[in-house]
Amino acid sequence: MHQIRYQQLDVFAARPGGGNQLGVVIDAEGWTDEAMQAFARWTNLVETTFLTPPTQPGASYRARIFTPRKEIPFAGHPTIGSAHAALDAGLCRPSADGLLHQECAAGVLPIRVENHDGERVLFVQAPPARVVPAPIGLSALRDVLHGIQTGPLPPAFVEGGRRWWIAEFADEAVLRAWHPDHAAIGMLARDTDSLGLCVFARSSEPGVELAVRAFPSGVDIVEDPASGAANGLIAAYIAHAEPAGALARGYRVSQGREVGHDASITVRIDGAIWVGGRTNTIIDGAVDWPHA
């Protein structure tokens, strides 16, 4: 079999090993859908991506994103990690204005390439998001949040490529110590065709404005250590609900410590929502897989 380059990455990491794992098969042209799904099931990572030539005008390359169960249209850390791998492999170069354009099932998304003190930092422009009516009302969410004092912003149901329930906690310590009912979150996700629940609290930690936890029980993930898509939706909600607030232009997020990680995500808001951070290459090798 022909061996194809494969990387395993650490995305949105504040320290090595602190981010979200991603597998990337580079130059997956010719792989069937079945082969991609089988390989993603074998890696058993939250997501594995497959890079192929673009099919849309203006795209730098195409990334297909698979969980162990199915292909999904968009997710934040697979998008950032795929761009990192594509640049490393020489599949693309940023334009004069520092942009790549990644094709995925959600469309062609701009990615900004920056250099921060000699380290590459990538930002993806998140798909447009909006608050939508809750399919079953907020009472079901209140049951999940039983006993939790919520923050200034009321809970909401937000859609932007994917759908999440969002709730603000009044206290960061309570957020970090919370042991939610994962079965109840899973039921809420299935009943509303959503990924699950994102919760956040304003932080007093130096260099961090928001602490975030994400529970995508709708796809059988207990807790996500670093979720770009979820943070994009939270940012869209904050920009909508507090357009003149302290977070309206952007902020820094801490996520994942409760599950043994330490992710650092930067959010910028300039009319669009940009979600970004650093990526570390942990494994760089070859994959040998029956892909035809």
Side-chain angles (χ1 to χ4, degrees):
M1 299 179 189
H2 176 60
Q3 290 191 328
I4 295 172
R5 189 175 178 187
Y6 172 75
Q7 288 187 338
Q8 199 153 313
L9 307 176
D10 183 32
V11 185
F12 294 136
R15 55 175 172 79
N20 206 346
Q21 295 183 64
L22 177 72
V24 183
V25 176
I26 299 167
D27 189 17
E29 186 177 13
W31 283 51
T32 64
D33 294 359
E34 292 77 14
M36 292 182 189
Q37 185 63 76
F39 186 72
R41 186 164 53 248
W42 181 83
T43 66
N44 201 33
L45 299 171
V46 175
E47 281 107 1
T48 302
T49 67
F50 301 83
L51 306 187
T52 67
T55 64
Q56 297 296 318
S60 307
Y61 58 92
R62 182 186 185 195
R64 297 185 64 181
I65 306 170
F66 284 78
T67 74
R69 293 175 49 202
K70 64 179 181 178
E71 186 173 10
I72 58 176
F74 170 75
H77 96 272
T79 297
I80 294 293
S82 293
H84 172 91
L87 286 165
D88 274 4
L91 299 183
C92 58
R93 295 177 62 185
S95 60
D97 57 358
L99 291 178
L100 303 174
H101 291 84
Q102 179 173 288
E103 177 186 346
C104 63
V108 178
L109 303 178
I111 296 175
R112 185 178 291 157
V113 183
E114 299 183 1
N115 186 302
H116 293 192
D117 299 324
E119 291 189 89
R120 186 168 62 208
V121 181
L122 301 173
F123 291 83
V124 59
Q125 183 177 314
R130 61 195 178 99
V131 177
V132 295
I136 57 174
L138 291 175
S139 59
L141 178 60
R142 293 191 186 100
D143 290 341
V144 172
L145 298 175
H146 179 71
I148 297 295
Q149 182 180 353
T150 55
L153 298 183
F157 193 59
V158 182
E159 180 177 55
R162 308 171 88 177
R163 302 200 296 180
W164 283 89
W165 290 89
I166 293 176
E168 179 179 4
F169 280 38
D171 185 87
E172 179 185 4
V174 172
L175 174 97
R176 292 195 178 277
W178 189 42
H179 295 283
D181 183 339
H182 296 289
I185 296 174
M187 183 178 298
L188 178 68
R190 289 187 293 273
D191 288 347
T192 57
D193 190 25
S194 64
L195 263 72
L197 173 65
C198 303
V199 292
F200 69 95
R202 298 168 207 243
S203 177
S204 58
E205 179 180 324
V208 175
E209 285 76 41
L210 227 61
V212 169
R213 298 180 70 184
F215 306 100
S217 301
V219 288
D220 298 326
I221 297 170
V222 173
E223 183 165 355
D224 196 330
S227 175
N231 276 287
L233 293 184
I234 292 171
Y237 180 45
I238 289 173
H240 163 77
E242 294 184 347
L247 304 178
R249 302 300 297 173
Y251 48 85
R252 185 70 61 84
V253 171
S254 167
Q255 187 178 351
R257 293 178 189 169
E258 296 74 23
V259 287
H261 291 249
D262 186 15
S264 177
I265 299 172
T266 300
V267 173
R268 294 178 181 165
I269 305 171
D270 60 6
I273 305 294
W274 297 85
V275 179
R278 293 175 171 82
T279 298
N280 302 312
T281 301
I282 305 300
I283 298 171
D284 193 347
V287 60
D288 200 343
W289 194 259
H291 56 270

